[in-house]
Amino acid sequence: MLMVRIQGVIRFTSPFHISAPGEARYDFNSNNFVYGAKQGTTCTTVRKDRIATRARLEEGQKPVTEIPNIPPDTLRGILRRKAAYRVIDAVLAKGQEVDLDTYHVLMCGAANGYPEGKSASVSEIKTAAANVYMGLFGGGPSIMPSCLRVDTAYPICPVTCEMELIPELFRSSRVDDNRLTQVQMFRRVDDLRGNIPANAKVIKDLDRVLDEWIVMTAPDDPDDETTAAIRGVQGWSSRETVIPGTPFAMSYEVETYDEAQIGLFLMALVDMLNAQKLGGKGSLGHGRFVVEDMLINDGNGNAKLLCEGATPYALNLENKMVASYVASAQEALAAIEADELVKICKPTTDPSERAAKKKLEKREKVERAAARGRQTAAGS
């Protein structure tokens, strides 16, 4: 069994944002988030983890600190797609095609929203495990196991270093503050409010349409210019982002019998690093970063994974271990067949039938509960 660990540090060179669920508003007067209130502007917050600390309350420190992070499912999803691109290129190079279900499994791990609901046979598990892609990422209708582990990426800052969430060899990249986010306000302007641009003449029946638009978009309160008060396209919003310059530590593990699966992971990783886009709002330049360090360890000590100073980033093929893994992956990709992938990824039952079955089971459950309620009422 081979077990390879890849660890590294990236430092963001532009704002970084991964949205957190829920609604929040930000009050720029107090510089605080407000919840369940109307003051402030609508704000999309970033994903955070609550980190327990060894803080002493008598010194005014907080026992829990909220820290932004890069969720492992985000990183894993990007890596899966980068590896899928490699597999699809290999299939296309042979003039072959796959069906829609297989494409979805390759790109996101699932053919549809209804897993088979049954365990795969030993033979099916062995077939998937031997495949360079499916053995690495798993998934599919029967949810095959994966040999890849992806850890949450945390910023290298006082609280994460204190609580030993960051490997010691990367703590020298630490920034000396736990406050690593900022909130920026954005205003979307209605070009038909105020001075009317000359190109508005392109609007059919401009005078009538404009009169109706001005009435319709007038605020309920003339002194209130918040988004809630003004209809139409004009509005205010804000977004929380991780500040540029923040370093994050990453960690991955691949445990497998197949060198090719390690090689495919390394190829997907360097593709992700070169894509220069983590998180959302990439169209605004968010999510750019530089790699400060990236190490590989197969149990015989850390070695540099990337070539020094290479642009774009490139795997260090002068390292015999890395070169061997990549060569095995390239050989496996060259041998891959579309029919093999379809066989692994194809659902054995129609998803519409499974959806109908689930609805029927739910309806029967409700009916049984209603019958028990009537029996209870009759006996009382």
Side-chain angles (χ1 to χ4, degrees), residues 114-267:
Y114 299 94
E116 294 284 81
K118 66 180 182 65
S119 299
S121 67
V122 173
S123 174
E124 289 171 335
I125 292 174
K126 285 184 175 180
T127 300
N131 182 273
V132 64
Y133 176 87
M134 290 301 295
L136 177 62
F137 287 99
S142 297
I143 314 181
M144 296 296 182
S146 165
C147 68
L148 171 63
R149 171 179 170 175
V150 182
D151 289 345
T152 301
Y154 286 111
I156 308 176
C157 60
V159 67
T160 55
C161 290
E162 176 194 359
M163 302 311 296
E164 301 179 4
L165 304 181
I166 306 299
E168 189 171 354
L169 73 163
F170 296 142
R171 293 178 193 171
S172 60
S173 296
R174 188 183 87 164
V175 292
D176 292 327
D177 201 327
N178 293 324
R179 297 168 298 175
L180 300 173
T181 66
Q182 62 184 350
V183 177
Q184 297 174 314
M185 180 181 284
F186 303 91
R187 185 184 185 190
R188 185 176 61 225
V189 175
D190 182 349
D191 293 277
L192 297 180
R193 290 178 64 87
N195 294 327
I196 309 303
N199 65 4
K201 63 185 179 181
V202 72
I203 301 173
K204 185 178 179 180
D205 199 4
L206 175 61
D207 291 347
R208 180 186 61 79
V209 169
L210 193 55
D211 286 340
E212 292 176 354
W213 180 253
I214 291 173
V215 172
M216 184 179 72
T217 60
D220 298 325
D221 179 353
D223 296 324
D224 186 357
E225 292 189 358
T226 63
T227 303
I230 301 176
R231 294 174 289 272
V233 298
Q234 182 168 304
W236 295 89
S237 64
S238 57
R239 180 167 59 250
E240 183 183 28
T241 61
V242 176
I243 59 177
T246 302
F248 279 75
M250 295 180 163
S251 181
Y252 311 92
E253 289 180 4
V254 184
E255 190 170 5
T256 179
Y257 288 102
D258 190 350
E259 283 196 356
Q261 292 171 357
I262 300 173
L264 180 58
F265 169 76
L266 298 180
M267 295 162 73

Side-chain angles (χ1 to χ4, degrees), residues 355-374:
K357 182 180 178 181
K358 286 182 178 293
K359 288 182 179 179
L360 177 60
E361 291 173 348
K362 184 176 181 180
R363 186 166 63 249
E364 290 175 344
K365 183 178 180 180
V366 170
E367 290 174 352
R368 287 195 299 270
R372 287 195 299 270
R374 288 193 295 271

